[in-house]
Structures are given as C-alpha cells and as structure tokens.
Amino acid sequence: MSAPAAVAARGALAACGFPIAVLDAGAPGLPVKYVNRAFETFFGYPETQVVDCSLAMLLLGGDDALLASAVAAPHTRRALDRKSTRLNSS
C-alpha cells in the first residue's frame, strides 16, 4: 500500500463511529496494531495501552482459543478468502 493510501485508510478507520481494532494476523496471539477512538471509548482502553497486546488478553480474559475460533468462523473465512482473491487477481 502506498503512503498516501495508508494515510487515507488510517483516516477512514479513525473517522468510523464503530470500534475497530487492526490485528497482526501473521504474529502469534494476533497482537493489536491500531485501534480507533470508538474502540477506546467503547472498551475503555487507550491505544497506547493496547498496541502490541493480544486482543484475546484484553477482551477475552486471555482465551486465545476463543479468539482463534472466532477468526476461523465460516463468515470470517469467507471474507478473508474474498479479500485474498481480489488481491491476487490484481
């Protein structure tokens, strides 16, 4: 992603009124890399406190298995498959 596109994407995420957390899907424990203001307000964690922490640790009492099952749910897999297909076809 180009630098201007990354800035635009971050701005769009920041402006969204729904809680959003961006995770590093390639790292063990799916650490948080970004949260928007709505996430901070809804869950009560400032971004500085959650970046590089496991989402499972913050929201699921450290239950990594529960987070993994949520990520592996059929609707989540379909969304990821569609995104992968779009990325690979360009």
Side-chain angles (χ1 to χ4, degrees), residues 3-60:
V7 169
R10 189 173 179 102
L13 293 173
C16 182
F18 294 98
I20 295 175
V22 176
L23 311 177
D24 182 350
L30 303 173
V32 175
K33 292 301 173 187
Y34 169 82
V35 296
N36 66 353
R37 173 84 50 190
F39 181 99
E40 292 177 315
T41 301
F42 188 82
F43 292 105
Y45 294 109
E47 182 177 22
T48 55
Q49 189 177 358
V50 300
V51 168
D52 293 327
C53 291
S54 163
L55 191 63
M57 181 60 77
L58 295 170
L59 304 179
L60 305 172

Side-chain angles (χ1 to χ4, degrees), residues 69-88:
S69 69
V71 169
H75 64 279
T76 305
R77 282 197 313 269
R78 283 193 303 273
L80 293 172
D81 289 343
R82 281 194 300 268
K83 181 175 181 167
S84 176
T85 301
R86 282 197 318 261
L87 291 173
N88 291 331

